[in-house]
Amino acid sequence: MRFLPHTAQERAQMLADIGVKSMDDLYDRVPLESRLKLVIDLPNHQGEKEVEKHLTALASKNRDAAQGPFFLGAGCYHHHIPATADYIIQRSEFLTSYTPYQPEISQGTLAVVFEFQSMIAALTGQEIANASMYDGATAVTEAALMARRITKRDQVHVYGALHPHYRETLDTYMDTLEGEVHEGLPTELSACVIVQVPDF
C-alpha cells in the first residue's frame, strides 16, 4: 500500500475547517511545561536481527505472572491454555477472511460464545449472560446501561470492592448520562447492583 501524504493545500483546508491557523494551535491546551522542548535522542537505525536481539534483552528483564503472587481481583493470574485450544481456533471454520490483513470472528466463534453464555445462564439461573465483551470495564458499563434501559431507573449500586478502572469507566458513563452510582446494598430505586467476584 502506498503512503499518500496530504498536500500543503489540503492541510491548510483541514486547519481552516476546524478553526485553527496552524498545527501548533492544536496543542494550545497542553501546558507549556508539559511540551517537549528538545529533539528526542533516538538511537540510529539498526537491522532486523539487531533490533530483535535488543528487544529480547529488554523483555528478559520483565517478570511474568508465574514468577510472582497473583492478584485475581485485578485480573492478574497465571492460567493454562491447552495446546488444543490454539489448534481449534485456527481451523478455517472459526476464521473468516473479513479483510486481507485481519481474520475476524466468524459464525463458528459466535456459536461457541453463544453456547458458553447459554451454559452460564443455565448454571446461574440468570436470564442473560454475556461473554463477548472486550474487557471488564466495558462489560460492567454495558451491563449497567442495559439495566437502566430496561428498568427505567437511574441508580446503579456497586457492592464491594470493584476494580478502580472499572469504576472509573462506569462513573464516566453515568456522569455523562446523568445517572447515579451508589455504594453498598441496592434500594428499590436501583436499576442494578454490580458485584465483582473475586473482588479487588
Side-chain angles (χ1 to χ4, degrees):
M1 179 184 298
R2 293 176 58 212
F3 174 64
L4 302 173
H6 296 294
T7 65
Q9 183 179 358
E10 289 170 332
R11 288 193 198 97
Q13 183 62 51
M14 286 188 281
L15 291 172
D17 287 349
I18 60 176
V20 295
K21 295 180 180 177
S22 70
M23 294 290 284
D24 290 337
D25 292 343
L26 297 174
Y27 303 97
D28 275 349
R29 293 189 177 189
V30 178
L32 286 173
E33 60 272 14
S34 299
R35 298 187 199 179
L36 191 65
K37 298 172 180 62
L38 302 171
V39 176
I40 300 175
D41 184 22
L42 294 174
N44 290 330
H45 68 276
Q46 293 180 314
E48 181 180 351
K49 287 184 179 179
E50 290 80 12
V51 171
E52 186 176 300
K53 183 178 179 182
H54 178 65
L55 293 177
T56 301
L58 291 177
S60 69
K61 297 179 181 180
N62 294 334
R63 291 179 62 197
D64 62 35
Q67 296 172 312
F70 303 152
F71 190 13
L72 297 178
C76 299
Y77 54 90
H78 180 65
H79 56 281
H80 172 71
I81 301 174
T84 53
D86 279 341
Y87 171 75
I88 290 171
I89 64 173
Q90 291 177 26
R91 288 180 56 89
S92 60
E93 63 265 34
F94 286 95
L95 295 177
T96 299
S97 184
Y98 177 69
T99 57
Y101 57 89
Q102 185 179 19
E104 297 284 6
I105 278 186
S106 70
Q107 293 301 312
T109 305
L110 291 175
V112 171
V113 171
F114 173 77
E115 295 294 341
F116 180 77
Q117 291 175 175
S118 300
M119 178 186 69
I120 295 299
L123 287 172
T124 61
Q126 298 178 98
E127 294 180 18
I128 297 172
N130 188 348
S132 63
M133 300 303 294
Y134 283 115
D135 59 36
T138 53
V140 165
T141 302
E142 287 294 332
L145 294 177
M146 181 182 69
R148 289 183 71 223
R149 285 192 300 270
I150 292 171
T151 64
K152 307 290 192 250
R153 298 174 185 161
D154 290 330
Q155 289 188 12
V156 171
H157 273 75
V158 175
Y159 185 73
L162 182 64
H163 192 299
H165 296 168
Y166 300 3
R167 180 62 190 263
E168 287 174 10
T169 304
L170 178 65
D171 287 342
T172 299
Y173 272 82
M174 290 300 116
D175 183 55
T176 303
L177 300 171
E178 298 179 358
E180 301 174 28
V181 181
H182 298 277
E183 298 283 344
L185 293 172
T187 67
E188 65 276 0
L189 300 176
S190 299
C192 65
V193 58
I194 295 169
V195 182
Q196 179 179 333
V197 180
D199 68 12
F200 193 77

